[in-house]
Amino acid sequence: MTGQDLLLKDELGNILRVLGTDREGGAELQAEDGSQHRHDPQSVEAAFEDGGPMSAVLCVRGQFLDPRGQLSARYVCRMHFHAGLREVRVFYTPV
């Protein structure tokens, strides 16, 4: 792993490196032992937490599964949208 890799910790404290995205648009992770973990599309929940005429916050929650299909990590992704701006602020939090 290089210093430029995006790293996450799973629920057991293992380090996971973000590899990229899979065919469904979810992230793929690789553990230190080389095993690959995929997002669980069945676990994704999305809801607006805050919204108004000028801004909105979309919260997406989901999880990753290890190669045996067991839960390995959860995440929360909040996207902040503002009227008149093309940019979206994204906060990704492993939980």
Side-chain angles (χ1 to χ4, degrees), residues 7-10 64 73-77 92-95:
L7 305 175
L8 305 172
K9 266 190 189 176
D10 69 11
F64 292 97
R74 290 188 173 101
Y75 66 88
V76 176
C77 181
Y92 184 88
T93 308
V95 292

Side-chain angles (χ1 to χ4, degrees), residues 5-83:
D5 291 334
L6 178 58
L7 305 175
L8 305 172
K9 266 190 189 176
D10 69 11
E11 293 189 339
L12 300 175
N14 300 310
I15 302 296
L16 302 169
R17 179 171 57 99
V18 177
L19 296 176
T21 58
D22 63 16
R23 290 173 284 190
E24 297 165 348
E28 287 186 301
L29 308 176
Q30 184 177 38
E32 293 174 298
D33 66 4
S35 62
Q36 293 192 1
H37 302 242
R38 298 180 185 271
H39 87 288
D40 176 11
Q42 303 300 317
S43 72
V44 177
E45 298 175 4
F48 283 99
E49 290 185 330
D50 188 22
M54 300 304 290
S55 65
V57 177
L58 177 62
C59 178
V60 179
R61 297 174 188 274
Q63 62 189 26
F64 292 97
L65 303 177
D66 67 15
R68 297 172 316 216
Q70 301 296 312
L71 174 67
S72 63
R74 290 188 173 101
Y75 66 88
V76 176
C77 181
R78 286 185 173 85
M79 293 167 267
H80 297 250
F81 300 89
H82 297 277

